[in-house]
Amino acid sequence: MAGTKITILYGSETGTAHDIAEQIWKRSKRTGLKSSVDAMDEYNIRNLINEQMMIFVVSTAGQGDTPLNMKQFWKCLLRKSLPVDFLSNLKFSVLGLGDSSFEKFNFAAKKLNKRLIQLGATELVPIGLADDQHDLGIDAVFSPWLEDVFNNVCHEFNVPKGSILSEHEIIERFRVDIIRDQKPDNSITDIYLYEAEKNKTLITSTIIENIRTTASDHFQDVRLIKFKVPEVDYSPGDIVYIKAKNSDEQVDKFFDVLNKNGVDVHPDMLIQVSEKEIKLPTVLEPKLTLKQIVQQYWDLNNKPKRSTLHTLSLISENELEKEKLIEFITAAGQEDLFNYINRPRRNIIEVLNDFPHTTNKLNVKLLFEIMTPVKPRAFSIASSSKQTKNEVHLLVAVVRYKTKLVDTRYGLCSNWLATLKSNEKAVFWIQKGTFKFDYEKPMILVGPGTGIAPFRSLLLDKAAKDGDLSSCLVFFGCRNEKKDYHCEDDFRLLTAKYGLKLFCAFSRDQPDKIYVQHLIRQQKELCWSFLQNSGNIYLAGNCKNMPSAVREEFVEVAKVCGKMNHEQAENYIRTLEKSGRYQSETW
């Protein structure tokens, strides 16, 4: 086993791939193998030709794009000068993290897998295509894929299968020390502001306004939030990534559950986290109180994954609790796991409360192994820097819903954003979105609900640039004209002053529900004339039913107005999609 090493690389917009890569690292560590974890663009690609064993974890961004921290690595792999046997010594496996509701499901992972084979590399096991839409999420594919990978790894390296570490030994990523003789640095109140000072790509903003765009008696709370950002540079279609903080109520619940079950922790404990075997996140560099870490770094709304339950099973000494935790992580226990965690969306606080004897065995170090960092949440920018200089606007639907559990479920980021008040600060970063708008061609824009956000940005920008929106056709949908017509004043102005063609589907304002696809049917001749004049279709909104219903309607438009049969019309729309004339951004 001397010299045996696995290189684990990840590419992700949100950090999920990084979490999975760390789980793979722990598995290799438990197996007795050396391994390293890096983002693809932080890896020294000159070492690639000497690698013998690599594992890749890749998310897909947008419409089949590679994630931001994979782009340079991917560009290097695509060099035409590379010989077909460039990676002939490499054995590899790829895990894709995707969502099957998107047309280009796991496209980035599939492209990487194909390119590695083209360069002479050999697959250890077939590519794993994890699907966030599965009842068990990505674990449904990840867990069996990981077993297959390490069965083959052990065979390749002639390593006995199974764990060489003690069953109860926890593999720690960081060194965690409690500082007892110092006071916290009161200058660090927001750990993401600290991170922003260290990272030039992060933007510190100040809240200007936080306006509710829905009626006070409407079931859904939607906010138009305006941020002041000096010298900000962005284009229509760009996306903001932002990390939220847990509510004071959730933080109090977390400490209450730990304390009542005998865990010796308190909010004012001063913690120093340092690098042990995994690269330390910038936000954890300073000495922080445990409350700062709990409130700003760990996601208290997170649904625990199998890896968390596995760690809890390792420390549990209560026979009944240990037996149940082990059952949850077995193949036979997956239906019970789904019914316990996923269906009611039970969070980590509630799980710890349900296993009091196991929770009693926790300490600060172990909390770092079972807690999940807050993931950034993406929002389309809803403003134009030409219209509102030095500002970024977001249109945010506040997520609240009920399950069989007593407490209402809350979306972490949207609820935090809804609480922000004027002059409060928030840290985010901006990335290019998936839309590639062509201002020179007619545009058909379909954006029900908060899907209108990127099109508000586009239309305000184009109005400022061209002074004419007559080549833009918008289909907007909501429930009621008087309840949830987001940014109504903006769209009435754009229609009256700049010639925007706007059609609104207020689905509940009449006995029969009317959706955006019904308005497309009504305006089929107008839509067809736009398409015949080289127009492009852009669609944004919820991925559930709307995108497929709208697509079917455009197929009907081609059939009726273009006098095509179904196959011809389907091929016509498919050609628009492949050529970038029909673009979608859904969530």
Side-chain angles (χ1 to χ4, degrees):
M1 291 189 341
T4 296
K5 182 175 178 291
I6 304 171
T7 298
I8 306 163
L9 299 184
Y10 65 90
S12 175
E13 302 285 5
T14 63
T16 303
H18 177 245
D19 292 348
I20 294 294
E22 287 191 353
Q23 290 185 47
I24 298 170
W25 169 80
K26 285 188 174 183
R27 179 60 180 270
S28 64
K29 183 94 172 171
R30 194 169 291 283
T31 308
L33 299 169
K34 295 179 181 178
S35 62
S36 61
V37 176
D38 278 298
M40 289 190 186
D41 284 355
E42 293 176 4
Y43 169 76
N44 186 348
I45 200 151
R46 294 177 182 174
N47 296 334
L48 189 59
I49 195 170
N50 299 316
E51 298 282 4
Q52 293 181 302
M53 188 78 66
M54 299 185 77
I55 298 175
F56 299 87
V57 185
V58 183
S59 297
T60 295
Q63 299 175 40
D65 299 323
T66 55
L68 193 67
N69 62 356
M70 176 183 168
K71 290 190 181 299
Q72 284 302 116
F73 182 91
W74 180 238
K75 185 177 179 181
C76 291
L77 274 192
L78 290 179
R79 286 181 299 177
K80 293 181 179 179
S81 60
L82 296 178
V84 293
D85 61 349
F86 178 65
L87 297 178
S88 57
N89 293 324
L90 175 66
K91 292 184 171 63
F92 76 96
S93 192
V94 174
L95 176 70
L97 307 179
D99 185 321
S100 58
S101 66
F102 289 82
E103 182 186 358
K104 294 187 176 179
F105 172 56
N106 269 316
F107 205 62
K110 292 173 183 175
K111 288 192 296 186
L112 174 64
N113 199 78
K114 183 178 180 180
R115 183 56 178 159
L116 292 170
I117 293 172
Q118 288 175 345
L119 294 173
T122 304
E123 277 185 308
L124 269 173
V125 299
I127 184 173
L129 300 176
D131 183 7
D132 208 39
Q133 289 291 321
H134 193 282
D135 285 346
L136 294 172
I138 58 179
D139 274 344
V141 168
F142 171 54
S143 296
W145 172 86
L146 188 63
E147 287 302 314
D148 287 347
V149 166
F150 274 90
N151 283 340
N152 281 272
V153 166
C154 290
H155 175 74
E156 290 290 332
F157 287 138
N158 195 26
V159 175
K161 294 179 183 177
S163 175
I164 69 165
L165 297 178
S166 164
E167 180 185 351
H168 295 284
E169 189 167 347
I170 306 296
I171 300 170
E172 297 176 357
R173 297 166 298 162
F174 310 127
R175 176 177 173 176
V176 181
D177 294 306
I178 301 172
I179 310 299
R180 303 184 187 279
D181 57 350
Q182 295 181 31
K183 292 184 178 180
D185 184 350
N186 293 326
S187 67
I188 301 175
T189 56
D190 187 320
I191 64 176
Y192 292 113
L193 290 177
Y194 171 85
E195 186 180 33
E197 292 174 5
K198 299 281 186 176
N199 187 339
K200 292 181 180 178
T201 63
L202 294 177
I203 298 168
T204 302
S205 65
T206 305
I207 305 300
I208 302 170
E209 272 187 312
N210 192 336
I211 309 163
R212 179 166 174 147
T213 66
T214 51
S216 58
D217 60 347
H218 190 59
F219 82 101
Q220 188 177 43
D221 181 358
V222 178
R223 301 300 181 103
L224 182 66
I225 306 174
K226 300 180 180 181
F227 301 83
K228 186 74 172 178
V229 187
E231 300 179 9
V232 66
D233 181 30
Y234 64 88
S235 302
D238 286 356
I239 292 170
V240 159
Y241 279 90
I242 190 164
K243 288 184 181 179
K245 300 172 188 176
N246 296 292
S247 67
D248 289 338
E249 181 184 16
Q250 283 289 79
V251 172
D252 290 342
K253 283 183 181 178
F254 180 77
F255 280 106
D256 286 346
V257 166
L258 293 181
N259 293 154
K260 81 174 184 179
N261 290 305
V263 183
D264 185 20
V265 295
H266 58 85
D268 295 328
M269 290 175 73
L270 191 60
I271 308 294
Q272 176 72 73
V273 186
S274 52
E275 193 167 309
K276 188 173 183 181
E277 300 202 48
I278 293 291
K279 186 176 180 181
L280 187 70
T282 305
V283 291
L284 295 180
E285 288 178 353
K287 296 182 180 70
L288 301 168
T289 64
L290 186 56
K291 182 175 181 178
Q292 286 175 308
I293 294 168
V294 171
Q295 186 160 51
Q296 302 183 48
Y297 183 68
W298 289 333
D299 185 352
L300 301 185
N301 279 11
N302 179 63
K303 304 191 306 293
K305 296 183 175 63
R306 287 175 69 183
S307 57
T308 296
L309 300 180
H310 176 249
T311 300
L312 291 173
S313 74
L314 294 179
I315 65 170
S316 183
E317 296 179 2
N318 177 274
E319 185 177 349
L320 289 176
E321 291 186 5
K322 189 178 187 72
E323 181 181 343
K324 192 62 182 176
L325 288 164
I326 291 174
E327 180 186 337
F328 280 149
I329 62 177
T330 63
Q334 292 314 286
E335 185 175 348
D336 286 343
L337 177 62
F338 174 74
N339 289 330
Y340 175 65
I341 297 281
N342 296 66
R343 190 184 298 280
R345 302 188 70 83
R346 192 175 254 106
N347 64 40
I348 182 65
I349 300 175
E350 292 160 336
V351 170
L352 294 179
N353 192 52
D354 287 347
F355 290 85
H357 300 291
T358 303
T359 299
N360 174 258
K361 301 301 176 184
L362 289 172
N363 55 41
V364 170
K365 291 183 179 182
L366 288 172
L367 286 174
F368 276 88
E369 301 308 323
I370 68 164
M371 300 303 294
T372 301
V374 172
K375 301 290 191 303
R377 172 78 162 83
F379 296 92
S380 294
I381 293 178
S383 53
S384 163
S385 58
K386 292 186 178 69
Q387 290 274 5
T388 46
K389 189 177 180 181
N390 299 331
E391 292 185 18
V392 169
H393 301 174
L394 302 181
L395 191 62
V396 179
V398 181
V399 179
R400 298 185 184 118
Y401 56 94
K402 293 290 292 183
T403 68
K404 70 177 186 180
L405 299 178
V406 174
D407 291 342
T408 301
R409 307 291 95 178
Y410 295 94
L412 174 62
C413 194
S414 63
N415 279 273
W416 174 70
L417 285 170
T419 67
L420 295 179
K421 295 179 175 58
S422 295
N423 297 318
E424 290 189 330
K425 295 187 182 299
V427 175
F428 56 75
W429 66 97
I430 295 174
Q431 285 185 199
K432 287 293 171 190
T434 60
F435 283 133
K436 296 175 177 61
F437 294 123
D438 187 342
Y439 280 35
E440 304 305 314
K441 304 285 179 63
M443 299 181 182
I444 301 174
L445 309 172
V446 185
T450 56
I452 201 66
F455 304 142
R456 179 181 186 261
S457 173
L458 166 70
L459 294 167
L460 291 172
D461 199 76
K462 186 171 171 59
K465 180 177 181 290
D466 300 336
D468 180 19
L469 297 178
S470 60
S471 63
C472 297
L473 172 58
V474 174
F475 294 98
F476 170 72
C478 64
R479 289 196 169 208
N480 309 100
E481 183 176 7
K482 301 299 183 185
K483 300 282 189 181
D484 57 340
Y485 188 170
H486 311 308
C487 309
E488 177 182 359
D489 292 343
D490 293 315
F491 290 108
R492 292 199 186 283
L493 175 65
L494 293 171
T495 302
K497 186 175 180 180
Y498 297 99
L500 173 68
K501 296 177 177 65
L502 174 67
F503 297 92
C504 295
F506 303 117
S507 63
R508 306 303 200 274
D509 278 352
Q510 60 286 310
D512 296 325
K513 293 177 184 175
I514 296 176
Y515 298 116
V516 286
Q517 61 265 29
H518 300 132
L519 296 186
I520 292 169
R521 183 181 306 170
Q522 291 174 14
Q523 302 299 326
K524 56 182 176 291
E525 297 292 347
L526 181 57
C527 290
W528 185 246
S529 69
F530 268 56
L531 293 174
Q532 290 302 100
N533 284 310
S534 302
N536 297 323
I537 301 169
Y538 304 93
L539 178 147
N542 189 282
C543 67
K544 192 175 182 182
N545 298 317
M546 181 273 297
S548 59
V550 168
R551 189 186 185 282
E552 288 171 11
E553 204 54 58
F554 278 116
V555 171
E556 285 299 311
V557 169
K559 284 171 65 175
V560 175
C561 300
K563 296 179 170 44
M564 303 177 187
N565 61 35
H566 183 79
E567 184 178 357
Q568 290 170 329
E570 179 65 38
N571 287 336
Y572 175 78
I573 296 301
R574 191 175 294 119
T575 300
L576 293 184
E577 291 169 333
K578 288 182 178 179
S579 64
R581 288 186 57 197
Y582 191 137
Q583 300 176 36
S584 300
E585 187 174 277
T586 58
W587 51 87

